[in-house]
Amino acid sequence: MSDTSVLVQMETSHGEILLELDAVKAPVSVANFVAYARAGHYDGTIFHRVINGFMIQGGGYTAEMQEKPTGEPIINEATNKLRNKVGTIAMARTSEINSSRAQFFINTVDNRDLDNAGLKPEMYGYAVFGQVIDGMDVVYKIEQQATTSLEGHDDVPVEPVVIQSVEVID
């Protein structure tokens, strides 16, 4: 590991995912994710949106579908030229360009339509800030979970997929 990347170990109820975050191309997103990880924010959250053939999203809700409090939104770094390819991790957001907080998603396919394609809100894209370097089998296992609608959310795993801990490896 170099000072240009950060290693993060994510323990889930389905296994371990090792991430390498790109602090050079996505410094704001990496610093944000690391701050939430070090504060214990992700511990006990779930992958609350799982869509087979698309991505798995987590980091914002407890198993009881209670949203965890977050800090202020960060700037969207989708113009960093990192692509939403299989195994990359990106910041989730609303339709507002600069609305990412704690939630993230891991792409399970190449999602070119999520890449930056212009400065208009509908074209701006989602900021990739790292990639899975070990544990894609776990990501795919999570992606295959049966889902339902719950508390106004679609694509929620029937059996909660819990993020037990997210540890920054120094």
Side-chain angles (χ1 to χ4, degrees):
M1 185 175 81
S2 66
D3 32 342
T4 60
S5 64
V6 176
L7 289 180
V8 174
Q9 181 176 316
M10 182 180 293
E11 287 289 342
T12 79
S13 54
H14 288 274
E16 180 184 304
I17 300 168
L18 188 63
L19 301 160
E20 182 177 34
L21 309 183
D22 190 331
V24 172
K25 291 189 175 174
V28 174
S29 299
V30 170
N32 179 67
F33 185 87
V34 165
Y36 279 112
R38 287 196 166 131
H41 173 87
Y42 295 122
D43 302 358
T45 61
I46 59 168
F47 281 99
H48 66 276
R49 188 167 173 239
V50 172
I51 303 175
N52 195 357
F54 183 42
M55 58 89 221
I56 63 173
Q57 181 176 335
Y61 292 88
T62 66
E64 298 75 36
M65 291 305 290
Q66 297 298 310
E67 190 168 8
K68 290 187 83 170
T70 58
E72 292 300 309
I74 60 169
I75 190 166
N76 186 330
E77 296 176 299
T79 58
N80 66 13
K81 306 250 188 288
L82 295 176
R83 302 284 180 221
N84 281 278
K85 294 182 176 182
V86 172
T88 57
I89 183 171
M91 294 303 301
R93 65 176 178 86
T94 66
S95 58
E96 295 290 322
I97 291 174
N98 297 312
S99 60
S100 296
R101 294 176 190 259
Q103 291 186 37
F104 60 88
F105 61 92
I106 299 173
N107 290 289
T108 58
V109 296
D110 289 346
N111 286 311
R112 295 183 65 165
D113 56 329
L114 300 182
D115 292 340
N116 176 264
L119 299 181
K120 293 179 181 174
E122 65 275 13
M123 300 170 69
Y124 205 85
Y126 295 78
V128 171
F129 64 99
Q131 63 185 3
V132 174
I133 57 173
D134 192 27
M136 273 308 287
D137 57 326
V138 175
V139 172
Y140 289 132
K141 189 174 174 185
I142 295 168
E143 178 192 32
Q144 299 297 318
Q145 298 304 300
T147 60
T148 188
S149 293
L150 185 66
E151 304 285 329
H153 296 271
D154 293 329
D155 309 304
V156 179
V158 173
E159 292 290 322
V161 178
V162 180
I163 299 169
Q164 295 156 333
S165 66
V166 177
E167 181 184 349
V168 179
I169 303 170
D170 292 317

